[in-house]
Structure formats: C-alpha cells, structure tokens
Amino acid sequence: MNGMNVAWRSSLDGNFKVKKAYYFVANLENSPNIMLFRILWRWEGAGRSRVLLWKVAKGVLATNEARCEGGFTGSWSCPMCENEKVTILHCMRDSQYTQTFWKEAITFLTNSFFLYAGDLHEWMTINMRGGRGFPNRWPLLFGIILD
C-alpha cells in the first residue's frame, strides 16, 4: 500500500483479531461484565474455586430462586431468614447470617461498600480487584472465602 502501514486501532499491538473486532462492534470492550470475567480468569487461586466464582458471577448456582423458577421447589424463601428471597447475593452477602459472618471474619476491612455495594457483578469486581484500602492479597482471600 505505497509504504503505508495499516493497523487495527482497537488492538494494542495493531493486529486485527476477530474477538477484538466483535468487542469493538458490540461495544463490550470496557463492559463491567467483561472486566469481572477477566479478573476472575486471572485470579491466582485454585482452579475449582475459579470455576465456582465464575458460576457465582454468571448467576448459575442452584439457589431457591433458580430452583423455584425451574419448578424444583415451591418456595423462594430462605430457610434461615424465612421471609427473604434466596438469590446468589442473599446467600453470599445480604443474608443477616452472611453479614454477621463477614463482619466477624473480616474485622480488619474498613470499606463499607464491601457488604452493601451494588449488584452482584459490581460487588464481585470491587472485591476481586482489591487495591488501595483493601488488605494485602484481599482478592485471593475473598475468593477463597466465597468458595
């Protein structure tokens, strides 16, 4: 092409890749969901724990909510709380029993958004990223605790 180099702007190395083109066209490159799944697959814990974290993030655990929708049970409610709908977030974060566990087990955690922030993906992304304000190696510990 007359001495001109052609480069694909959506790639760091300038090479065209179908996956990158799909993300670009679908506007998924900076999607929070894509970010969470990248963090999960780079997580340094055990492979089986990584698979569980992936299932949590995808929302495919057999909670009472999912079992009720599939016709496997007649009740959405939590057997411990008795009146709360059992979602993944309820099991992992929002149940009064789960909150008590997190508060007692993680007393050194000072970030209030840990227990209460956002939807499932936002909560997992915040804690799997760690960073400033979190204890050293928090993403690894967080994943192990969820497992």
Side-chain angles (χ1 to χ4, degrees):
M1 292 180 85
N2 298 336
M4 294 172 46
N5 291 330
V6 177
W8 179 250
R9 254 194 257 179
S10 293
S11 175
L12 293 176
D13 61 6
N15 294 324
F16 176 82
K17 294 178 180 73
V18 172
K19 179 179 175 181
K20 288 286 187 183
Y22 171 76
Y23 284 173
F24 177 76
V25 170
N27 198 21
L28 295 175
E29 193 60 37
N30 295 315
S31 165
N33 295 342
I34 296 294
M35 186 183 327
L36 173 60
F37 291 109
R38 282 184 185 154
I39 292 167
L40 291 177
W41 288 117
R42 291 179 181 147
W43 185 68
E44 58 185 271
R48 72 175 190 83
S49 297
R50 189 178 302 120
V51 170
L52 174 73
L53 293 170
W54 180 83
K55 287 180 178 182
V56 169
K58 289 292 279 183
V60 296
L61 293 182
T63 62
N64 274 2
E65 176 187 42
R67 292 174 53 225
C68 192
E69 287 175 358
F72 297 105
T73 186
S75 174
W76 298 57
S77 65
C78 175
M80 298 178 79
C81 302
E82 295 180 3
N83 61 354
E84 293 289 327
K85 183 161 93 171
V86 180
T87 63
I88 292 175
L89 261 181
H90 179 77
C91 293
M92 300 291 182
R93 184 190 75 186
D94 294 341
S95 160
Q96 65 186 24
Y97 299 99
T98 309
Q99 286 183 9
T100 300
F101 165 79
W102 283 114
K103 286 175 185 173
E104 290 179 11
I106 317 297
T107 57
F108 54 83
L109 186 64
T110 60
N111 295 324
S112 62
F113 58 76
F114 166 76
L115 288 175
Y116 309 107
D119 65 10
L120 179 64
H121 285 184
E122 182 181 0
W123 179 66
M124 287 188 73
T125 301
I126 288 168
N127 286 285
M128 295 302 291
R129 282 180 119 180
R132 214 170 74 198
F134 284 88
N136 190 28
R137 313 247 328 159
W138 174 248
L140 180 62
L141 182 60
F142 177 77
I144 291 168
I145 291 171
L146 286 183
D147 187 23

